Amino acid sequence: SPVIKAIRSTIATDGVLGLWRGTVPSLIRNAPGTSLYFYFLNHTKHLCLALEHRISGDSSRTKLSSMSNMAVGASSRAMAGFLLMPGTLLKVHYESSLYKYAGIMGAVNEIWRSGGARGFFVGAIPTAIRDAPYAGLYMLMYEAIKAKEREYALKRSVDLAETTVTMFAGVMAGLSASYLTQPFDLVKTRMQLRPAEYPTVRYSFAKILREESFVGFFRGISLRVLRKGIQASLVFTLYEWVVRSNTKSQSTAETSTKLKA
């Protein structure tokens, strides 16, 4: 299979450690990127919920509508993605066999030398076009699947652990959203790795379609889908656990304060 061939080729060229090529830039991009995303997500959720309360006049609502979930996910990812764009570009370059950098600073210096500050934002538009729909679709499907799981468990009188609910919803939403946004991910990667061949979004789409047909947009999808599905599931399960723990702690503190009063 293409995946096995890629693994063998990487090991033959760079050794076993080559499979971990780009780990450091990935951490540089993903650690602050995930933090920023959930920061924006949490705040925009509260803003949208307050807006829905005002529009509907029903302040008892605790869940966002489907469209609000999509808007919250898309806007949060777009903001975080733009701020972390230099890290994304560095990660893509460092992982590619097309570039041989002497360390992280060597990569930073080379990108700056060849493109200046703008060089760190190559592919920003296709990245936003990929990230915003992906995150929006993910949030929409994630919340919908969770609701269906709970509804099924209630009807069947099944005691589903919250971790099970979030893990399953995360995997399914991640797989589905990854498939739907794969063409944008491919265009983004091509523009960042070979900007001379793929200078604009429109030209890149046309070139891939002309030379590789529609199937070309889904090259490498198996690895992306597997990675995104598992990653999203783990991250959102942890996020939901932290939110629940924080809410429980606040509730306990408030109760304790009232009893003392």
Side-chain angles (χ1 to χ4, degrees):
S1 69
V3 175
I4 300 299
K5 287 181 180 178
I7 292 174
R8 287 175 176 171
S9 175
T10 302
I11 293 175
T13 306
D14 302 315
V16 176
L17 291 179
L19 297 173
W20 277 266
R21 179 184 174 91
T23 298
V24 173
S26 290
L27 290 173
I28 292 172
R29 187 254 180 261
N30 289 335
T34 302
S35 300
L36 274 175
Y37 171 61
F38 282 111
Y39 171 81
F40 289 134
L41 186 71
N42 198 49
H43 280 272
T44 50
K45 267 187 174 181
H46 284 95
L47 288 173
C48 280
L49 191 58
L51 182 61
E52 287 192 359
H53 286 168
R54 181 175 296 182
I55 293 173
S56 65
D58 180 12
S59 59
S60 64
R61 294 178 61 177
T62 58
K63 298 291 184 181
L64 290 173
S65 65
S66 297
M67 290 306 296
S68 290
N69 277 322
M70 181 178 283
V72 165
S75 59
S76 299
R77 178 62 71 184
M79 288 186 286
F82 179 77
L83 292 175
L84 270 298
M85 190 62 216
T88 301
L89 184 80
L90 185 63
K91 169 183 173 294
V92 171
H93 276 224
Y94 212 85
E95 289 176 342
S96 172
S97 60
L98 296 175
Y99 299 89
K100 297 293 183 182
Y101 294 123
I104 299 296
M105 289 311 300
V108 172
N109 291 332
E110 180 60 28
I111 294 171
W112 177 268
R113 187 190 65 77
S114 60
R118 290 184 63 182
F120 288 98
F121 290 87
V122 172
I125 293 176
T127 298
I129 293 174
R130 177 204 64 176
D131 284 352
Y134 170 83
L137 288 168
Y138 181 89
M139 281 301 298
L140 175 67
M141 290 184 283
Y142 177 71
E143 293 295 341
I145 293 170
K146 281 200 306 180
K148 289 294 183 183
E149 284 184 85
R150 288 167 180 153
E151 181 183 329
Y152 176 84
L154 187 61
K155 285 182 178 179
R156 303 282 180 171
S157 299
V158 177
D159 185 20
L160 274 181
E162 195 61 28
T163 302
T164 303
V165 172
T166 53
M167 284 286 284
F168 180 77
V171 168
M172 297 307 296
L175 293 175
S176 303
S178 296
Y179 265 106
L180 292 171
T181 57
Q182 169 64 16
F184 299 107
D185 183 69
L186 184 80
V187 168
K188 183 270 302 184
T189 303
R190 295 279 180 93
M191 287 183 67
Q192 290 177 332
L193 291 178
R194 290 179 276 175
E197 293 181 49
Y198 300 90
T200 66
V201 176
R202 184 176 179 179
Y203 180 84
S204 300
F205 269 105
K207 178 180 173 65
I208 294 169
L209 185 62
R210 182 177 63 252
E211 296 179 358
E212 303 173 44
S213 77
F214 183 73
V215 177
F217 288 109
F218 293 88
R219 291 186 185 280
I221 191 171
S222 56
L223 285 177
R224 179 177 181 244
V225 165
L226 181 63
R227 178 179 65 85
K228 295 291 281 187
I230 296 173
Q231 180 189 50
S233 177
L234 292 173
V235 169
F236 265 83
T237 297
L238 179 60
Y239 167 72
E240 297 264 21
W241 178 80
V242 170
V243 170
R244 288 197 305 273
S245 299
N246 186 53
T247 302
K248 187 177 180 180
S249 298
Q250 288 180 345
S251 178
T252 302
E254 289 174 2
T255 302
S256 178
T257 302
K258 288 179 180 178
L259 289 174
K260 288 179 180 179

